Amino acid sequence: MTAPHASMIPVVSLLTSLAVLAVVLIGPGLAAEPCREHEIRIDGKAPSALSPDSSEFDVVDVVAALMRSKLDLKLPAWRKAYVCGDEAAFSEGLLRNFGARAWDGSETSAAGMATSVGVFLRGDYLARRPLAGRVEVIAHELAHLSQQELAKPRVHEVPRWIVEGHAEWVALGVVDRLGYGSYSVRRAQVTRSVVDGAIPAALLPGLDALARREQWGRWTRSLSHSATYGQAFLAVDRLTERYGRAKVIEFLSSFTRLTDSRERWDSVFPISYGQFVDDFRVHLQSLGRATISRPP
């Protein structure tokens, strides 16, 4: 799920939630305009280039093709992209497809959300973003679809910091490969946002505290996007830098054949999970010290 960065979309209020729910239950007469649908292409056919005027669906197909050809990330078949005009349409689309179990404030504050039927995107949010920003949001959500394909039904067992960190890593990599922004520059920006934040790096929650969905949501709400998404991205970046992106793909795929969480990790990486968590914390603190010692 992509959370808006600088201009956070307000979480829908309880009254708004109940109003949309009532509209859906009463009938289509007062319902929001339906989300537009597009079957995501997995056959490699996509527009040859993008422009600022490219539609959201063109962006989806270009990003999907690049993920498959350059990052070895396959997408599940028969999935759709849903572009919803505003918060009400986005919320209603989720409600119609998944019922009340999809109904919580964290979903309606998102710019996009990957589900078992495809990706739901806030069209009004994307319209305010430059092309690079639209690519980033869409690539993040398509990365979640790829994770579904790799881990299958056990995708929800993958530690949350890997789920979101990998999606951020894919998104920034796609932006770089399409020529809309340097990966190294964006990584430096994320690093500064994490280590130069109001909370010292030594006091940020460790990766172990960002493993479960409820923990992730609580820390994101109480701290900041950088404390969770930023830190998770840097952790996955360190994993891929040390062991290669194929190892992360292999780890996600291990959820289809192994049931023990530590056995999954140990079958792929030469360092234990606990050692990596500790190593990354030391690494993050060293980045903070480097920032402090850097001349103004």
Side-chain angles (χ1 to χ4, degrees):
M1 182 171 66
T2 310
H5 297 201
S7 54
M8 182 71 74
I9 300 172
V11 175
V12 70
S13 67
L14 176 60
L15 289 177
T16 304
S17 302
L18 293 175
V20 174
L21 177 60
V23 166
V24 173
L25 294 177
I26 291 171
L30 298 176
E33 183 177 344
C35 303
R36 293 181 289 120
E37 301 178 13
H38 170 75
E39 188 170 314
I40 301 170
R41 301 194 70 112
I42 60 171
D43 56 8
K45 297 179 180 179
S48 58
L50 294 174
S51 74
D53 296 326
S54 294
S55 71
E56 292 92 342
F57 296 143
D58 283 343
V59 176
V60 166
D61 287 338
V62 167
V63 170
L66 187 147
M67 286 172 56
R68 183 175 48 257
S69 64
K70 302 298 183 182
L71 299 178
D72 302 317
L73 292 172
K74 296 181 180 179
L75 296 176
W78 311 111
R79 297 298 189 273
K80 291 184 177 182
Y82 299 82
V83 175
C84 309
D86 54 23
E87 182 181 289
F90 182 80
S91 302
E92 186 176 318
L94 291 174
L95 187 61
R96 285 189 181 279
N97 279 276
F98 302 102
R101 61 192 173 87
W103 200 259
D104 74 51
S106 67
E107 316 302 9
T108 53
S109 67
M113 179 180 173
T115 73
S116 58
V117 299
V119 294
F120 285 78
L121 302 164
R122 283 279 302 269
D124 57 336
Y125 178 78
L126 293 176
R128 297 194 295 269
R129 301 290 298 269
L131 180 57
R134 291 157 58 200
V135 168
E136 185 176 334
V137 169
I138 289 170
H140 181 108
E141 297 308 329
L142 291 182
H144 286 320
L145 279 193
S146 179
Q147 292 162 358
Q148 291 178 19
E149 178 70 3
L150 291 167
K152 302 298 185 185
R154 291 198 173 105
V155 67
H156 299 297
E157 299 175 23
V158 181
R160 200 68 189 172
W161 67 264
I162 294 180
V163 169
E164 296 297 348
H166 179 250
E168 290 284 273
W169 180 87
V170 169
L172 298 191
V174 168
V175 169
D176 179 271
R177 288 174 182 271
L178 288 176
Y180 300 131
S182 164
Y183 180 88
S184 60
V185 169
R186 288 300 307 278
R187 178 173 57 187
Q189 291 171 344
V190 173
T191 300
R192 286 195 297 272
S193 73
V194 173
V195 302
D196 291 349
I199 301 174
L203 299 181
L204 289 173
L207 296 180
D208 266 345
L210 300 175
R212 296 198 303 274
R213 185 184 182 93
E214 61 274 14
Q215 294 174 308
W216 179 273
R218 184 171 65 252
W219 283 115
T220 300
R221 289 189 297 271
S222 63
L223 295 180
S224 66
H225 183 278
S226 296
T228 52
Y229 285 87
Q231 190 178 182
F233 160 72
L234 293 176
V236 171
D237 176 75
R238 188 161 177 81
L239 264 184
T240 57
E241 195 170 61
R242 294 178 68 175
Y243 307 115
R245 70 170 185 265
K247 285 295 184 182
V248 177
I249 294 174
E250 184 182 347
F251 174 70
L252 291 168
S253 300
S254 73
F255 282 73
T256 64
R257 54 186 175 80
L258 299 172
T259 57
D260 181 77
S261 58
R262 291 299 179 261
E263 186 181 0
R264 293 163 179 158
W265 180 277
D266 293 341
S267 71
V268 175
F269 298 108
I271 184 175
S272 74
Y273 182 84
Q275 286 175 318
F276 178 78
V277 168
D278 292 341
D279 169 80
F280 177 72
R281 192 161 191 84
V282 171
H283 172 65
L284 198 63
Q285 292 174 17
S286 71
L287 293 175
R289 288 192 295 272
T291 301
I292 292 172
S293 62
R294 188 177 58 214

